[in-house]
Amino acid sequence: MPQGQPDYVPDDGLTTRQRRHRPLVMVHTGPGKGKSTAAFGLATRAWAQGWSIGVFQFVKSAKWRIGEERALRTLAESGEGGTVSWNKMGEGWSWIRHRRATEDHAADAAEGWEQIKRDLAAETHRLYVLDEFTYPMKWGWVDVEDVVATLAQRPGTQHVVITGRDADPRLVDAADLVTEMSKVRHPMDVGQKGQRGIEW
Amino acid sequence: MPQGQPDYVPDDGLTTRQRRHRPLVMVHTGPGKGKSTAAFGLATRAWAQGWSIGVFQFVKSAKWRIGEERALRTLAESGEGGTVSWNKMGEGWSWIRHRRATEDHAADAAEGWEQIKRDLAAETHRLYVLDEFTYPMKWGWVDVEDVVATLAQRPGTQHVVITGRDADPRLVDAADLVTEMSKVRHPMDVGQKGQRGIEW
């Protein structure tokens, strides 16, 4: 946990206050658990600050994150904090009226990224959770250089957290905060499958 | 992310279903960010399952985790999921009627651990978040052997997640799931202090 004392103060012409409120790009990567869980924890904290939150899930899955989704929707509906826009690639992005008959994950991912670009340009949200977004980059569905350039040029104060294994080195270089989650021990190693409430 | 296929199936006489519902001891340790955030993310998921959650915070701090606390309290009050009991060492444990005049952190930590032992024996909660509980163990305020023995003997299905740096090797050995969060890059390194909504 940061103790409030930076290692050094950069000669960047910014005041401490300006630097403090600098919008961040955060990456949670590595083979261990907690990458997405920590990102949704950040979203919870952002809700408490009254922020607008945009969640974009880039891997199709029926049961993963349903707990977080239900919790964030319940929080948003309480009217006491921020708002949440939850978008899933696997179920057809919410802003697209009709689902295509054929499943084209590459096109779906590209469409998701285009919407994020529009939202960033319009300063729609204060926090973006791009869950498992490293994979469409890894698989070549979304151009890493475009992501890095777009993030570098985003206006205003918009925080972005990206989760997933194997984050591209160019993304890691562009990020302000990178956390690597490593697996020290996991019950899967001793023959246990995932369980409800813990894994999803 | 586990893909549902264990490396091997142990010869422990348990069915897959029994093994799946085995109560877990989880440890989030290491110098990186996300240890507590991921633990509170787990709590959010547990809330969605309707579980009783006990949070015990072992490091006194005025502003840390207020976002998570507010979110979990709002979720609990919604009546749509589980319940949350939130206990802070720094403000006097909630089950102790009167605050002592003198601050004795070691005694406070020991009292917190005694309550957790009572709750475990009574099967009060389904998930325990022991936030920053590695520190009282590290500082000798709580006996690691007692923690390991108590966890090993706890009845029923009670999951426990412990966060903090420098987890004792005996605790790591006793845990079912250990995740190490390492810092790859942090804005504190380039002269930025923590900011509201992101750090707390």
Side-chain angles (χ1 to χ4, degrees):
Chain A
M1 199 160 309
Q3 293 302 313
Q5 210 44 257
D7 292 347
Y8 74 101
V9 176
D11 185 23
D12 56 8
L14 297 175
T15 64
T16 300
R17 186 180 172 81
Q18 286 170 326
R19 224 176 282 114
R20 178 189 283 265
H21 292 108
R22 186 164 58 100
L24 300 176
V25 172
M26 294 162 276
V27 174
H28 297 176
T29 191
K33 291 178 65 63
K35 296 185 288 293
S36 296
T37 309
F40 287 110
L42 267 182
T44 299
R45 211 178 286 163
W47 167 84
Q49 292 294 336
W51 293 4
S52 168
I53 302 157
V55 175
F56 296 81
Q57 293 188 283
F58 276 89
V59 168
K60 182 174 180 171
S61 167
K63 63 187 175 184
W64 299 92
R65 326 267 183 255
I66 52 167
E68 284 89 343
E69 181 179 356
R70 194 175 146 209
L72 277 173
R73 284 193 194 280
T74 301
L75 289 173
E77 285 162 14
S78 78
E80 295 186 24
T83 59
V84 178
S85 160
W86 196 290
N87 305 285
K88 298 181 200 179
M89 189 177 98
E91 301 185 358
W93 297 110
S94 57
W95 60 86
I96 297 172
R97 198 172 301 268
H98 298 293
R99 226 180 276 197
R100 278 187 305 279
T102 57
E103 289 198 350
D104 184 339
H105 296 314
D108 270 355
E111 274 171 8
W113 170 238
E114 289 304 318
Q115 178 62 36
I116 293 162
K117 286 171 77 170
R118 288 191 291 270
D119 283 342
L120 286 168
E123 299 187 46
T124 305
H125 303 296
R126 182 96 179 247
L127 175 68
Y128 297 75
V129 178
L130 311 189
D131 193 34
E132 317 226 52
F133 189 46
T134 58
Y135 302 107
M137 284 188 263
K138 181 178 177 180
W139 298 328
W141 297 348
V142 170
D143 180 38
V144 181
E145 297 290 355
D146 184 34
V147 171
V148 169
T150 302
L151 292 176
Q153 292 156 19
R154 74 195 189 283
T157 303
Q158 303 182 89
H159 303 287
V160 180
V161 54
I162 295 172
T163 76
R165 296 182 184 211
D166 306 324
D168 190 283
R170 290 165 289 177
L171 178 65
V172 168
D173 283 347
D176 302 290
L177 191 156
V178 180
T179 305
E180 162 105 5
M181 275 75 165
S182 359
K183 184 180 77 167
V184 176
R185 187 183 306 117
H186 191 283
M188 295 290 295
D189 298 339
V190 289
Q192 182 167 14
K193 293 191 176 187
Q195 60 183 299
R196 193 175 52 200
I198 299 295
E199 301 280 350
W200 66 84
Chain B
M1 197 160 308
Q3 293 302 317
Q5 211 44 259
D7 291 347
Y8 75 101
V9 176
D11 184 23
D12 56 10
L14 296 176
T15 64
T16 300
R17 184 180 174 82
Q18 285 170 327
R19 225 176 284 115
R20 179 190 283 266
H21 292 107
R22 186 163 60 99
L24 300 176
V25 172
M26 294 161 276
V27 174
H28 296 178
T29 191
K33 293 179 64 65
K35 296 185 288 293
S36 296
T37 309
F40 287 110
L42 267 181
T44 299
R45 212 177 285 164
W47 167 85
Q49 292 294 335
W51 294 3
S52 167
I53 303 157
V55 175
F56 296 81
Q57 293 188 283
F58 276 89
V59 167
K60 181 174 180 171
S61 167
K63 62 186 176 183
W64 299 93
R65 326 264 182 259
I66 51 166
E68 284 88 343
E69 181 180 356
R70 194 174 146 211
L72 277 173
R73 285 193 195 280
T74 301
L75 289 173
E77 285 162 13
S78 77
E80 295 187 23
T83 59
V84 178
S85 160
W86 196 289
N87 304 285
K88 298 180 201 181
M89 191 177 98
E91 301 185 359
W93 296 111
S94 56
W95 60 87
I96 298 171
R97 198 170 302 268
H98 299 291
R99 227 181 275 198
R100 279 187 306 279
T102 57
E103 289 199 348
D104 184 339
H105 296 312
D108 271 354
E111 275 171 7
W113 170 238
E114 288 305 317
Q115 179 61 37
I116 293 163
K117 286 171 77 170
R118 289 191 291 270
D119 283 342
L120 286 168
E123 299 187 46
T124 306
H125 303 296
R126 181 96 179 248
L127 174 69
Y128 297 74
V129 177
L130 311 189
D131 193 33
E132 317 227 49
F133 189 46
T134 58
Y135 302 106
M137 285 188 263
K138 182 179 177 180
W139 298 327
W141 299 347
V142 170
D143 180 38
V144 181
E145 297 290 356
D146 184 34
V147 171
V148 168
T150 302
L151 291 177
Q153 291 155 21
R154 75 195 188 283
T157 302
Q158 302 182 90
H159 302 287
V160 180
V161 55
I162 295 172
T163 75
R165 296 182 184 213
D166 306 324
D168 190 281
R170 290 166 290 178
L171 178 65
V172 168
D173 283 347
D176 302 289
L177 190 155
V178 180
T179 305
E180 162 106 6
M181 274 75 166
S182 3
K183 184 179 77 166
V184 176
R185 184 182 308 118
H186 191 284
M188 296 289 295
D189 298 339
V190 289
Q192 181 167 15
K193 294 191 174 187
Q195 59 182 300
R196 193 175 56 199
I198 299 296
E199 302 279 350
W200 65 84

